[in-house]
Amino acid sequence: MQFHIPYDMYTQKYPSKRLALYYAIRDYIASGVLGIDTRLPSSREMAALYGLSRGTVNEVYDMLSSEGYVTSGVGRGTFVTFQPPKPRLPELSRQDVYLLSDWGKRLNEQQTRSTDNDNLKDRHGEARRMVDFQAFGPDSQWFPVQEWNRCLYAQARLLASSEHPQAGISTLGDPSLQESIAHYIRRARGIAADASQIAVFNGSMQAIALAAQLLINPGDRVVMENPGYAGAARAFQAIGGICIHAPVDGQGMIPEDWEAKLLMVTPNRQFPTGAVLTLDRRQQLLAWASERNSLILEDDYDSVFRHRGKSLEPLKVLDREGRVIYVGSFSSTLLPHVRIGYAVLPPTLTPLFARAKRLYEPKPSNLLEQRTLASWMNSGQYERHLRRMKRVYGRKFKLLRELLTDRLSSMFDWIESDAGLSLFGWWRGPGEQYTRFRSRCLEAGIRWSDTSVQDMASGSIRYGAYFYFPRLSEDEMVHGVNQMQDIGQTIEATER
């Protein structure tokens, strides 16, 4: 049995072997190194490990048992029963911060918003039924696990039989997946990219963060949508970039003549409002990039599930000067733990991205999952899965849109949307009222994601809410919206 405690160190602190073993085990349990339900070696195994008699080990186990640290049973073994309180993470001292790089200091200063407790309770402390419109990710119950596993096992056997499975593979990704992605986006998105321009990442955020490191210097200005993706803003600010917040309306980002080096946009489905950038504005952004000698980071995060209408061409399709980096992701279509994203790079940037990625991953990571996805796409099963999920999500999209429009339109101004896995609305009332409404809904077990923007003219804060629906059943959506309606009506009645 593999087991280790610092017994030799404790023999220098305590006069007897019995006390040294006792305190070594007790301290490891108390500090959480040996977690609850951890099985300790038998007395014979422990004695052999540290050159002790079984009698000494049994005596130590009895001492620990009497104090509530372990429990023992004949024929069952000895298990840890003590669970220490969760320690608070220590804050960095001034000296620790001084030792950080400028990038590390900026990361340390960033504040990430804490998530609400999953175990929501009402005012009387009783657990409530949870309706989580905040849960992002696919509905896994519809995922064809058996089909995926067949491809997974086949690729695992091939990798196991290969003497050099990673030989000749670029850090940009497995060639088979690069080819599959190039073929897919050529047909589905109209992007005519060579497979060598495809870089595979562990999710789209990794692609955005690496692009920030390669393209932004401290003090450089980056244009971002407002509201927009906070994760990308943190990546740019950690590099030392200065974010310029461009306003968004029902037609997407409003173009201006910014003085900036990089622009990030979600044209095909603006995050989080869902607005679609018009063709005229797309052309204006490309003209701006050409005139300013700037680059555009196009994040196509959520447009694969189109419920009605026809999508416009991505900026990458309209790009004639190699100024657009197109970022896509499989996160909304695969199992939640499979994180695969990709970027379509301009040919001039491809070698630079390869060298940068090689610093973090000398060899491509998750090679098995990359080859599994490639095999699944080549077999046609991936697109069959997409067609099935479009029907499932289409029904949920229609139901939630009808529920929100019919029952909550007095409180929210809903933004029209044709695609994606969430719906967005602007709060119509004052900010204080929104805060009370959100708090009361949270107490009732209903939560969602939200954002806020400041009106530059009046200085007032405008609140927006977006509701993800893939993981919710139709019954949960009905229950959640009904509860929100009741709470909203109660608040309105008390404020008349």
Side-chain angles (χ1 to χ4, degrees):
M1 180 179 184
Q2 295 292 324
F3 183 81
H4 175 77
I5 53 175
Y7 171 75
D8 291 337
M9 184 178 72
Y10 275 73
T11 59
Q12 300 174 22
K13 296 170 59 177
Y14 296 97
S16 68
K17 294 180 178 180
R18 176 176 62 86
L19 288 177
L21 181 65
Y22 165 77
Y23 282 110
I25 297 175
R26 193 204 67 171
D27 289 355
Y28 257 38
I29 293 175
S31 64
V33 177
L34 296 177
I36 191 169
D37 295 329
T38 298
R39 185 181 185 277
L40 300 183
S42 67
S43 59
R44 185 187 302 277
E45 291 171 327
M46 185 71 82
L49 280 171
Y50 297 107
L52 303 169
S53 68
R54 291 184 63 188
T56 298
V57 176
N58 286 328
E59 188 177 355
V60 168
Y61 281 180
D62 288 342
M63 293 167 62
L64 293 168
S65 179
S66 67
E67 295 176 359
Y69 288 103
V70 302
T71 183
S72 300
V74 178
R76 193 173 65 89
T78 301
F79 294 86
V80 174
T81 55
F82 178 79
Q83 186 170 16
K86 190 174 182 179
R88 291 184 58 187
L89 293 175
E91 295 184 0
L92 288 174
S93 67
R94 289 183 67 179
Q95 183 177 3
D96 292 329
V97 174
Y98 178 77
L99 295 175
L100 294 174
S101 68
D102 290 343
W103 181 72
K105 291 175 185 176
R106 286 188 290 266
L107 278 180
N108 184 52
E109 292 168 359
Q110 290 182 354
Q111 298 294 321
T112 56
R113 181 174 179 175
S114 60
T115 57
D116 300 310
N117 193 336
D118 286 345
N119 300 317
L120 296 178
K121 298 181 179 179
D122 63 14
R123 294 178 179 179
H124 303 289
E126 297 178 357
R128 301 301 301 267
R129 178 182 180 184
M130 182 70 182
V131 180
D132 192 1
F133 289 104
Q134 198 178 75
F136 173 78
D139 186 350
S140 299
Q141 67 172 325
W142 292 95
F143 189 81
V145 176
Q146 291 184 344
E147 292 180 3
W148 174 264
N149 284 346
R150 278 196 292 269
C151 293
L152 181 71
Y153 297 151
Q155 294 303 315
R157 288 192 292 270
L158 289 174
L159 281 172
S161 63
S162 175
E163 292 185 6
H164 305 287
Q166 294 184 324
I169 297 178
S170 166
T171 187
L172 290 180
D174 184 78
S176 62
L177 183 56
Q178 290 177 296
E179 288 283 356
S180 298
I181 292 173
H183 181 71
Y184 169 72
I185 61 175
R186 186 179 297 114
R187 186 177 63 258
R189 306 298 290 137
I191 299 174
D194 188 79
S196 63
Q197 295 175 248
I198 308 293
V200 181
F201 294 92
N202 297 324
S204 59
M205 189 58 229
Q206 188 188 42
I208 294 170
L210 190 60
Q213 287 184 292
L214 284 172
L215 303 174
I216 301 301
N217 288 316
D220 285 344
R221 294 154 68 89
V222 182
V223 181
M224 291 199 65
E225 299 157 313
N226 187 28
Y229 182 31
R234 288 193 292 270
F236 298 137
Q237 290 165 349
I239 300 300
I242 300 172
C243 292
I244 302 173
H245 298 291
V248 170
D249 61 15
Q251 298 179 342
M253 175 185 277
I254 301 174
E256 297 179 21
D257 187 19
W258 305 283
E259 184 181 344
K261 188 174 182 180
L262 179 69
L263 178 146
M264 179 171 171
V265 65
T266 52
N268 305 309
R269 189 173 186 277
Q270 199 276 329
F271 179 84
T273 67
V276 177
L277 191 69
T278 62
L279 180 59
D280 179 61
R281 290 187 179 182
R282 294 174 192 236
Q283 293 170 335
Q284 289 182 56
L285 292 183
L286 289 169
W288 166 84
S290 179
E291 292 170 5
R292 288 284 184 176
N293 193 27
S294 301
L295 290 171
I296 296 176
L297 196 58
E298 178 180 14
D299 184 8
D300 194 7
Y301 74 101
D302 195 23
S303 65
V304 64
F305 293 110
R306 175 155 294 278
H307 310 300
R308 56 185 183 178
K310 183 181 181 296
S311 62
L312 292 175
E313 289 81 1
L315 282 169
K316 188 66 181 175
V317 173
L318 304 174
D319 178 25
R320 296 292 180 267
E321 298 182 12
R323 297 191 177 275
V324 175
I325 300 171
Y326 177 91
V327 177
S329 174
F330 294 97
S331 296
S332 62
T333 59
L334 302 178
L335 290 168
H337 64 272
V338 180
R339 304 291 300 173
I340 297 179
Y342 62 93
V344 183
L345 304 170
T348 54
L349 286 178
T350 302
L352 182 60
F353 267 79
R355 287 193 291 272
K357 196 166 183 285
R358 195 175 296 119
L359 289 176
Y360 296 97
E361 299 173 354
K363 299 291 184 181
S365 63
N366 62 354
L367 187 59
L368 175 59
E369 290 176 337
Q370 287 191 37
R371 291 189 174 181
T372 300
L373 178 57
S375 173
W376 202 40
M377 295 177 75
N378 293 337
S379 69
Q381 294 174 2
Y382 175 71
E383 292 194 54
R384 283 198 294 273
H385 170 58
L386 287 187
R387 289 193 293 270
R388 178 169 55 247
M389 296 313 299
K390 285 179 180 179
R391 293 192 295 269
V392 172
Y393 292 151
R395 290 192 296 268
K396 292 185 178 184
F397 171 86
K398 181 180 179 182
L399 173 62
L400 183 58
R401 180 166 52 87
E402 292 174 351
L403 288 169
L404 296 176
T405 302
D406 293 345
R407 303 179 190 184
L408 299 182
S409 286
S410 63
M411 292 180 281
F412 289 93
D413 179 18
W414 301 109
I415 301 299
E416 192 70 18
S417 179
D418 295 333
L421 302 178
S422 65
L423 290 167
F424 181 90
W426 290 109
W427 180 254
R428 294 182 182 273
E432 298 82 359
Q433 189 184 56
Y434 173 78
T435 302
R436 286 193 293 275
F437 174 70
R438 184 178 183 275
S439 177
R440 290 286 302 277
C441 288
L442 191 60
E443 291 174 358
I446 303 159
R447 68 178 180 183
W448 58 86
S449 298
D450 57 14
T451 187
S452 62
V453 297
Q454 184 174 19
D455 185 276
M456 300 306 295
S458 65
S460 61
I461 302 296
R462 191 183 190 192
Y463 290 91
Y466 46 108
F467 300 82
Y468 289 106
F469 56 80
R471 294 188 179 183
L472 296 176
S473 67
E474 295 183 359
D475 177 66
E476 288 172 324
M477 288 191 287
V478 171
H479 171 76
V481 174
N482 285 342
Q483 286 280 91
M484 293 168 66
Q485 182 184 33
D486 292 342
I487 292 169
Q489 290 174 346
T490 300
I491 291 176
E492 289 179 355
T494 58
E495 295 181 355
R496 287 174 185 167

